[in-house]
Amino acid sequence: DAGITQSPRHKVTETGTPVTLRCHQTENHRYMYWYRQDPGHGLRLIHYSYGVKDTDKGEVSDGYSVSRSKTEDFLLTLESATSSQTSVYFCAIRVAGGPDEQFFGPGTRLTVL
Amino acid sequence: AQSVTQLGSHVSVSEGALVLLRCNYSSSVPPYLFWYVQYPNQGLQLLLKYTSAATLVKGINGFEAEFKKSETSFHLTKPSAHMSDAAEYFCAVSDSGGSNYKLTFGKGTLLTVNP
């Protein structure tokens, strides 16, 4: 357990509404990542952060934005949710000093109606 | 660019039988390789990792994987399957610290264990 929590754990929303998912870590890790998991696609990187206010896009970033104003929190925002963004979202951190392994949070199941 | 291919989206074995989950990778630099396991309705848990120290890597729960550079493979094995091994398994590759330590995942293999 790398001290990662995600909130909310489950959310149902309607198309066109904004949604923000939160990832919180307690151990001051520099690198944080947001993935989405869909059947048949594995995990795909949405955005990542390499420090406070330092973020970059992953392979499926369209329709998503992120913010990191403090080390412990990494927020993922869907500005206007669409049904194609129904998915399970995972946050991960990288522990410094080791290889590139990442440790994952418990996930957020988002349903967009 | 790096990529991972997991052969077989679904593998079914009998309890006590050999488990073999296949992973092939593509990377332009020496890779780090990982296997993760996901139990139903849970996050991903690291099973084992290859970081160039030894080609045969042992992980948790009796799993191991062998790095074969000539075959660009990193297959996951377990000699005797247990019912508790039923889960989805993901292979992942990293470019040894480049690109902000990003991982690229395979699409996953669902392992079913039959009594």
Side-chain angles (χ1 to χ4, degrees):
Chain A
D1 184 356
I4 307 169
T5 58
Q6 293 185 232
S7 59
R9 295 292 314 280
H10 301 271
K11 186 171 182 65
V12 179
T13 191
E14 296 196 348
T15 297
T17 60
V19 176
T20 295
L21 308 182
R22 180 185 185 231
C23 177
H24 179 77
Q25 53 134 335
T26 59
E27 300 179 358
N28 293 319
H29 298 298
R30 179 181 172 193
Y31 288 86
M32 300 183 75
Y33 308 81
W34 275 108
Y35 294 89
R36 61 178 290 173
Q37 182 180 23
D38 305 288
H41 290 276
L43 276 80
R44 293 178 292 175
L45 182 65
I46 305 171
H47 281 281
Y48 64 98
S49 170
Y50 47 95
V52 174
K53 299 191 188 305
D54 292 323
T55 64
D56 205 348
K57 297 178 179 180
E59 65 174 299
V60 291
S61 60
D62 287 349
Y64 301 95
S65 62
V66 290
S67 65
R68 193 167 179 202
S69 58
K70 46 186 178 178
T71 300
E72 58 265 37
D73 288 327
F74 191 30
L75 304 181
L76 177 71
T77 297
L78 292 65
E79 300 290 348
S80 177
T82 68
S83 58
S84 65
Q85 294 176 311
T86 293
S87 187
V88 180
Y89 292 86
F90 286 100
C91 174
I93 59 94
R94 174 190 172 265
V95 176
D100 305 349
E101 69 216 68
Q102 295 177 13
F103 295 91
F104 286 79
T108 294
R109 184 172 297 274
L110 176 67
T111 301
V112 183
L113 301 176
Chain B
Q2 55 203 20
S3 65
V4 172
T5 301
Q6 291 185 239
L7 297 176
S9 59
H10 188 191
V11 170
S12 182
V13 301
S14 298
E15 191 172 20
L18 171 71
V19 175
L20 171 60
L21 305 182
R22 300 178 187 272
C23 172
N24 289 89
Y25 70 91
S26 170
S27 177
S28 58
V29 298
Y32 290 157
L33 293 158
F34 308 87
W35 276 100
Y36 285 85
V37 61
Q38 184 181 33
Y39 299 104
N41 299 311
Q42 295 188 24
L44 276 74
Q45 178 182 356
L46 183 67
L47 260 184
L48 50 79
K49 59 190 176 189
Y50 166 76
T51 59
S52 77
T55 57
L56 183 62
V57 180
K58 294 188 183 298
I60 62 173
N61 302 336
F63 284 92
E64 63 182 35
E66 186 173 9
F67 173 71
K68 292 186 177 180
K69 183 178 179 180
S70 60
E71 298 177 7
T72 60
S73 69
F74 190 57
H75 302 331
L76 182 71
T77 61
K78 182 175 180 178
S80 177
H82 192 272
M83 296 295 290
S84 61
D85 294 327
E88 191 159 21
Y89 293 80
F90 294 92
C91 182
V93 63
S94 165
D95 58 357
S96 308
S99 303
N100 285 305
Y101 306 100
K102 291 185 289 184
L103 296 182
T104 300
F105 285 84
K107 295 183 177 182
T109 298
L110 182 65
L111 176 65
T112 301
V113 182
N114 304 306

